Amino acid sequence: MLAPILLAPALLVPVLAAGPAPADTNETAGVPAPPTGVDESPLPVKAVRAFEFLTFDRPILLTHPGDGSDRVIVVTQKGPIYQFPNDPEAEEATPFADLSDRVVYNEKQNEEGLLGLAFHPDFKTNGRVFVYYTTTDAPHTSVISEFKAVGEGLDQRLDPDSEREIFRLKQPYWNHNAGTILFGPDGMFYVAFGDGGAGGDPLDHGQNVGTAFGAMLRLDVDGEPDEGKAYKVPADNPHVNSPGALPEIYAHGFRNPWRFSFDAKTGDLWLADVGQDKWEEINLVEPGKNYGWSVFEGFHPFPPDRKTAATEGRGMAFPVWEYDHETGKSITGGVVYRGSKVPQLEGKYLYGDYVSGLLWALELGPDGKAKSNRPLTGYKHPMMSFGEGPDGEVYFMTTFGQLWTFAAE
């Protein structure tokens, strides 16, 4: 993410995403060319305000506990977490937790803070909640902790004294913290970290499987913890038996994987990686794969004059989509739509760009390649994050504190 921007709500004229760019592709490396022949015609779906009576201070995540209570949870970057009924006319959000006493947030270093929250799949019976935040007890340090919730429904609260730390990572810089934590359809716990920050991966973390930086981790928070850890490393993780590799790693080669999500129907793992100089990208993540950073940015060698890309690129995984910085400069990853209110979006991955404020719906064909990447209409939005409500509808949050959803034109 970048520093906050103020975009006037000017009517959006659909702009086509810059997918193909074969002239800038290192084809000699055996790198696939960017998608071509993709439908980029505007889709008659618009963004509309949701829960119009509610606004929040830097809403970073919208989710739900999956316990049948039909309530919405909104996490804010400065520490407070709110809940309210899943009712378009809801007028009040009540506290679910307030972690502001242990969360660092600085307007000038705005990639830190309370960045992620995940409810355990059995939350209804065990009350377990996991959060990712930048802690006040050490400079530039990411912490993942477990809390217990007490009470029921809108009277439920996190017990602040129940915190149990799961994972801690000292960051070399303040940016590229990523922040998503999720339970996968396999019941495992997933978290992704950026490359450590600054610019251009100065510490060469992206291609180093001996560190958590630039990687997605997969943990078992239900099994008997391994010695010296607060979790168990799943035996089927791809690097468990790789000498010198961190066994927690599920996939690597990421720059700043700010948001990732699982398709509720297929279980596919979608990840949007924020770009450096020119390219923003979307990946389908598979175990053990290397997604290229910082040898590649999207389909392109990084830096562009990199002489070793031809050999280093062999065996790497490449995006399903990219766009250049003429279109946008900071991708905000979303989710595959599996709701019921907008059939035109079924099966499409909804995402946007934080800087340009544009929104798209990306669809893959049976061959796994991009079939369409269709701009959505409406207004420009500096979207911070996407999320799903208890009914499967998709929402996104803006720097203005508003919640938005989608409707057919």
Side-chain angles (χ1 to χ4, degrees), residues 245-322:
L246 201 68
E248 289 89 344
I249 290 178
Y250 184 73
H252 74 287
F254 304 114
R255 179 180 178 270
N256 187 19
W258 166 237
R259 286 296 181 239
F260 65 85
S261 62
F262 288 94
D263 183 336
K265 182 177 180 179
T266 67
D268 290 338
L269 177 47
W270 292 76
L271 180 149
D273 202 3
V274 181
Q276 172 75 42
D277 290 345
K278 191 175 180 180
W279 299 99
E280 307 294 312
E281 66 181 80
I282 298 171
N283 298 286
L284 275 181
V285 179
E286 298 179 32
K289 294 290 183 69
N290 175 0
Y291 289 85
W293 178 254
S294 57
V295 175
F296 284 88
E297 184 183 27
F299 290 91
H300 315 276
F302 181 87
D305 61 353
R306 190 182 190 102
K307 304 301 182 184
T308 58
T311 54
E312 291 179 277
R314 295 193 181 102
M316 287 184 177
F318 288 88
V320 294
W321 190 252
E322 67 172 22

Side-chain angles (χ1 to χ4, degrees), residues 320-379:
V320 294
W321 190 252
E322 67 172 22
Y323 63 86
D324 66 24
H325 283 188
E326 294 298 313
T327 302
K329 293 186 177 181
S330 182
I331 192 169
T332 301
V335 297
V336 175
Y337 184 82
R338 297 297 180 186
S340 60
K341 295 181 179 178
V342 193
Q344 299 94 321
L345 296 178
E346 170 63 23
K348 296 177 174 63
Y349 177 72
L350 306 181
Y351 72 100
D353 188 271
Y354 177 72
V355 174
S356 68
L358 301 175
L359 293 158
W360 296 273
L362 174 67
E363 184 178 18
L364 305 184
D367 59 358
K369 297 181 179 180
K371 173 183 176 181
S372 65
N373 186 64
R374 304 182 66 181
L376 307 181
T377 61
Y379 293 81

